[in-house]
Amino acid sequence: MRTRPLKVALLGCGVVGSEVARIMTTHADDLAARIGAPVELAGVAVRRPDKVREGIAPELITTDATALVKRGDVDVIVEVIGGVEPARTLITTAFEHGASVVSANKALLAQDGATLHEAAERHGQDLYYEAAVAGAIPLVRPLRESLAGDKINRVMGIVNGTTNFILDKMDTSGAGYSEALDEATALGYAEADPTADVEGFDAAAKAAILAGIAFHTRVRLDDVYREGMTEVTAADFASAKEMGCTIKLLAICERAADGGSVTARVHPAMIPLGHPLASVREAYNAVFVEAEAAGRLMFYGPGAGGSPTASAVLGDLVAVCRNKLNEANGPGESAYTQLPVSSMGEVVTRYHISLDVADKPGVLAQVATVFAEHGVSIDTVRQHGRQDGDGEASLVVVTHRAPDAALSGTVEALRKLDTVRGVASIMRVEGE
């Protein structure tokens, strides 16, 4: 074993960063044995230097992150500050000064991963980011390495624990959205401002990263269709149960049937109770991968939190340090296919549409005609009269698979019918 330590600098010392530092200290001997050399914490860049940080020597604390990444004697930078800037500049500066980077920054990687990969390759450094997608779940490396010889056709999963907790509570307890969100906040699953989670921004960033790796093409955050889950209601869950389904916020990345394009999207969807993702409860994450040779694979576990995310960071740190010792690099960006990213309108999917209609003869025929005019085939129809005698009924239509643009056009046409009082809910159906 080499006795001279590999030096590691930490950018950020919040929930994840402090846990990374703790594990580096308490498991120092094990890490040294696995890497082949000891690792040493060389500095920690923070915004609030006066805060007490147990287990970290005060002399290691600095507010000058730029000076830390420019030191030249640091082998690996661990970036857990998040956001686009100054993280992007700090990471590219680290590459310029001879350090490899381990990052958990999904927002930056989804928005400008190409720039980071190009900088890493130009300076002969590694860029690893297992923690950016699904916490402790090994996913990036299996896609990037273990399945590198296979052709991946679809990646579908639950990649945000907050939204899964909320939807799970709505499903199992009958709670409304606001009530379930309050419980998630009280338990620490939801931030004070949950927008990034519940509106799908967090999941969309992860979908962009997963699609890029799976399909060997560049997919940016702007390429991902995004729809939040704040409009999901108890009535939607009741309809889902009638179909033998539940509702999840899914990130779905697909290769087109002809192989000529890819899509990436995030939205709530009904999935059959028999699908593996339907049983993912509480704040857990799970990702379902469909590959040509390997078949169907599922990755499951805690997708967020200090310890799970730190576990993924440390796994990357060990791999990068081994590469440093061997004067080698791990896999970089693979974007050789340069496939176009299709719009959501081109995606072939199914709809569950709940309509409030006039309770009189001929309504179903009018609705069916609209579907036929837009080339959308109906799978099932359920109509229920209202007990309050207000002259209205509920009509639930589930379609066969069709281009999303055709389905959206159908809904807009339905809204214009005099006999349709309103569209109560629209939801896609996946997992079949």
Side-chain angles (χ1 to χ4, degrees):
M1 178 186 294
R2 192 181 85 165
T3 57
R4 183 170 65 83
L6 290 159
K7 293 188 176 182
V8 178
L10 190 58
L11 305 183
C13 198
V15 173
V16 176
S18 59
E19 188 66 7
V20 170
R22 184 192 69 78
I23 295 173
M24 284 184 62
T25 301
T26 58
H27 295 178
D29 291 342
D30 286 336
L31 291 173
R34 294 165 191 171
I35 292 168
V39 289
E40 175 185 291
L41 191 60
V44 182
V46 299
R47 285 184 300 175
R48 294 178 293 170
D50 297 332
K51 182 179 177 180
V52 176
R53 293 174 172 84
E54 294 183 9
I56 300 177
E59 60 269 21
L60 295 179
I61 302 296
T62 179
T63 57
D64 194 343
T66 301
L68 185 58
V69 299
K70 284 184 175 181
R71 274 178 42 170
D73 65 331
V74 173
D75 297 288
V76 184
I77 298 291
V78 174
E79 182 271 311
V80 286
I81 57 176
V84 176
E85 287 291 355
R88 174 169 47 198
T89 299
L90 291 170
I91 289 173
T92 54
T93 301
F95 291 143
E96 292 168 4
H97 288 79
S100 289
V101 174
V102 173
S103 176
N105 196 331
K106 54 185 172 288
L108 175 56
L109 287 158
Q111 181 170 313
D112 203 13
T115 295
L116 302 186
H117 279 291
E118 288 168 357
E121 184 177 0
R122 185 165 60 251
H123 296 286
Q125 303 300 324
D126 278 330
L127 173 62
Y128 276 49
Y129 44 90
E130 185 68 67
V133 175
I137 304 172
L139 187 59
V140 171
R141 201 169 303 160
L143 291 177
R144 195 159 72 160
E145 299 179 31
S146 303
L147 296 172
D150 208 338
K151 180 181 180 182
I152 297 172
N153 293 315
R154 196 169 199 242
V155 178
M156 179 172 78
I158 298 162
V159 294
N160 183 277
T162 300
T163 55
N164 198 58
F165 180 90
I166 292 170
L167 292 173
D168 183 43
K169 290 302 174 184
M170 292 177 69
D171 184 22
T172 57
S173 70
Y177 167 76
S178 296
E179 184 182 353
L181 174 59
D182 288 343
E183 184 175 355
T185 303
L187 292 172
Y189 291 128
E191 302 286 346
D193 179 2
T195 302
D197 295 322
V198 299
E199 294 296 349
F201 290 101
D202 176 85
K206 295 170 181 177
I209 296 169
L210 290 173
I213 299 170
F215 306 132
H216 303 278
T217 198
R218 286 180 176 171
V219 179
R220 300 181 72 253
L221 181 59
D222 293 343
D223 296 322
V224 182
Y225 172 84
R226 178 192 55 79
E227 185 180 316
M229 43 76 71
T230 57
E231 300 300 318
V232 177
T233 66
D236 291 325
F237 274 102
S239 292
K241 287 179 179 178
E242 288 185 13
M243 290 179 58
C245 293
T246 188
I247 299 171
K248 299 292 185 182
L249 183 75
L250 299 178
I252 304 172
C253 312
E254 292 180 304
R255 189 190 300 269
D258 63 4
S261 64
V262 300
T263 57
R265 50 196 166 104
V266 169
H267 55 73
M270 294 182 180
I271 58 173
L273 293 175
H275 192 281
L277 292 177
S279 61
V280 178
R281 314 305 293 268
E282 299 286 333
Y284 277 78
N285 286 189
V287 177
F288 204 67
V289 177
E290 298 179 20
E292 208 165 79
R296 296 184 173 186
L297 309 170
M298 183 168 165
F299 301 83
Y300 169 85
S307 294
T309 306
S311 172
V313 169
L314 266 295
D316 279 350
L317 179 62
V318 169
V320 170
C321 285
R322 286 172 176 168
N323 292 342
K324 282 284 184 181
L325 286 180
N326 295 323
E327 297 182 352
N329 292 114
E333 182 186 34
S334 176
Y336 71 92
T337 63
Q338 300 183 25
L339 294 172
V341 182
S342 298
S343 68
M344 185 63 194
E346 298 175 73
V347 173
V348 177
T349 185
R350 299 178 65 201
Y351 268 27
H352 174 283
I353 306 169
S354 181
L355 304 171
D356 294 327
V357 300
D359 191 6
K360 63 181 183 180
V363 173
L364 181 56
Q366 289 183 340
V367 169
T369 298
V370 170
F371 278 91
E373 288 173 348
H374 287 80
V376 177
S377 177
I378 295 175
D379 182 13
T380 61
V381 177
R382 300 193 308 275
Q383 184 170 347
H384 305 287
R386 301 277 180 83
Q387 294 183 351
D388 54 15
D390 62 357
E392 290 190 4
S394 296
L395 184 65
V396 176
V397 179
V398 180
T399 72
H400 284 292
R401 290 169 62 83
D404 201 82
L407 290 162
S408 297
T410 302
V411 172
E412 290 308 307
L414 289 171
R415 294 182 192 275
K416 297 176 182 178
L417 290 178
D418 291 339
T419 51
V420 174
R421 309 300 191 215
V423 179
S425 70
I426 308 167
M427 191 166 295
R428 295 173 182 86
V429 181
E430 299 286 347
E432 296 183 313

